Amino acid sequence: DARVTQTPRDKVTEMGQEVTMRCQPILGHNTVFWYRQTMMQGLELLAYFRNRAPLDDSGMPKDRFSAEMPDATLATLKIQPSEPRDSAVYFCASGLVPRGWTSGSPLNTGELFFGEGSRLTVL
Amino acid sequence: AQSVAQPEDQVNVAEGNPLTVKCTYSVSGNPYLFWYVQYPNRGLQFLLKYITGDNLVKGSYGFEAEFNKSQTSFHLKKPSALVSDSALYFCAVRDIPGGSYIPTFGRGTSLIVHP
């Protein structure tokens, strides 16, 4: 049963500490998304990768957040230094964009598959 | 530009009654529309999608959604609600052609089904 795997599931840390969250996308998927969910803001897109290349990270605070895909089986989201306002649930999602994708392609139906999330609490 | 609105933060329904969770959208071209469900302490789970064709789309767990182009709506429905349907429901849209691969999600609607 293919699924997106995220670690850790829960993380409690102190302000100023570095936090790294990891995601293993579904094998064969070529797009990865990082979202943050809070009660106040709902779901916020932080970063989007296609074929391991970052295509959109406009929603990510650049001064403290960084997202990478060192290989096709691993995506990371790092916060350094962490702050209490970063407390949230962070989701990774993956999807498949067919070869030869264009924005108008009918093949690009694009449902996403989400991991179970990493709940971060920064004290 | 693409956007989606879920006008209700919460929907309450009695078990056995029909349920509707509302979604309206705005796109420049044609929409691809999605519904996802999130159970407590879980990730979002794909329920169903409208791409083209029949306006009534059937999905998982007995849910269906009706695409209405004139009203720019894609409401989620189920004929008979179960207590286990209680969850957070998200509508999402992508604009075709010309839009990006990135879907826009609504803020979510909390569905509470009372025994």
Side-chain angles (χ1 to χ4, degrees), chain B residues 10-17 81-84 86 111-115:
Chain B
Q10 185 172 302
V11 170
N12 291 276
V13 64
E15 187 174 32
N17 283 2
L82 300 173
V83 172
S84 57
S86 299
L111 173 67
I112 300 174
V113 181
H114 302 277

Side-chain angles (χ1 to χ4, degrees), chain A residues 9 31 33 35 37 40-41 43 45 48 56 91 96-97 103-106 108-112 114-116 119, chain B residues 32 34 36 38 41-46 49 51 88 90 94-103 105-107:
Chain A
R9 285 298 312 274
T31 61
F33 297 75
Y35 287 92
Q37 186 179 34
M40 293 298 295
Q41 300 296 330
L43 264 179
L45 177 68
Y48 162 49
D56 189 335
F91 288 103
L96 179 61
V97 177
S103 61
S105 167
N108 186 16
T109 60
E111 60 264 37
L112 301 184
F114 283 76
E116 299 287 60
R119 180 178 299 275
Chain B
Y32 283 2
F34 307 84
Y36 291 81
Q38 184 181 27
N41 299 314
R42 304 294 299 276
L44 278 71
Q45 182 178 337
F46 170 72
K49 65 185 176 186
I51 303 302
L88 191 58
F90 290 90
R94 288 184 48 237
D95 194 355
I96 304 296
S100 77
Y101 181 71
I102 302 172
F105 283 86
R107 288 188 57 84

Side-chain angles (χ1 to χ4, degrees), chain B residues 33-35 46-60 62-67 74-77:
Chain B
L33 292 154
F34 307 84
W35 276 103
F46 170 72
L47 263 184
L48 52 78
K49 65 185 176 186
Y50 171 81
I51 303 302
T52 187
D54 195 345
N55 289 344
L56 186 64
V57 178
K58 294 188 184 297
S60 306
F63 283 93
E64 59 188 26
E66 186 169 11
F67 171 64
F74 188 57
H75 301 331
L76 182 70
K77 301 182 180 184

Side-chain angles (χ1 to χ4, degrees), chain A:
Chain A
D1 185 23
R3 62 182 64 187
V4 175
T5 303
Q6 288 187 247
T7 57
R9 285 298 312 274
D10 282 281
K11 175 74 175 178
V12 180
T13 191
E14 294 188 345
M15 183 173 62
Q17 295 299 304
E18 177 179 300
V19 175
T20 299
M21 289 167 275
R22 293 176 173 82
C23 168
Q24 181 176 350
I26 291 174
L27 188 64
H29 281 188
N30 55 6
T31 61
V32 171
F33 297 75
W34 281 104
Y35 287 92
R36 176 169 63 183
Q37 186 179 34
T38 61
M39 289 291 289
M40 293 298 295
Q41 300 296 330
L43 264 179
E44 300 173 273
L45 177 68
L46 297 175
Y48 162 49
F49 291 78
R50 179 148 53 96
N51 297 322
R52 296 176 54 203
L55 294 190
D56 189 335
D57 61 1
S58 57
M60 196 165 65
K62 302 291 193 304
D63 56 338
R64 299 182 299 108
F65 285 61
S66 62
E68 295 179 347
M69 278 202 76
D71 62 59
T73 64
L74 177 64
T76 62
L77 179 67
K78 186 179 295 186
I79 308 174
Q80 167 62 22
S82 58
E83 297 181 1
R85 59 181 167 151
D86 301 329
S87 297
V89 182
Y90 292 80
F91 288 103
C92 174
S94 71
L96 179 61
V97 177
R99 188 184 300 276
W101 172 84
T102 61
S103 61
S105 167
L107 296 176
N108 186 16
T109 60
E111 60 264 37
L112 301 184
F113 297 82
F114 283 76
E116 299 287 60
S118 293
R119 180 178 299 275
L120 174 65
T121 304
V122 183
L123 304 175

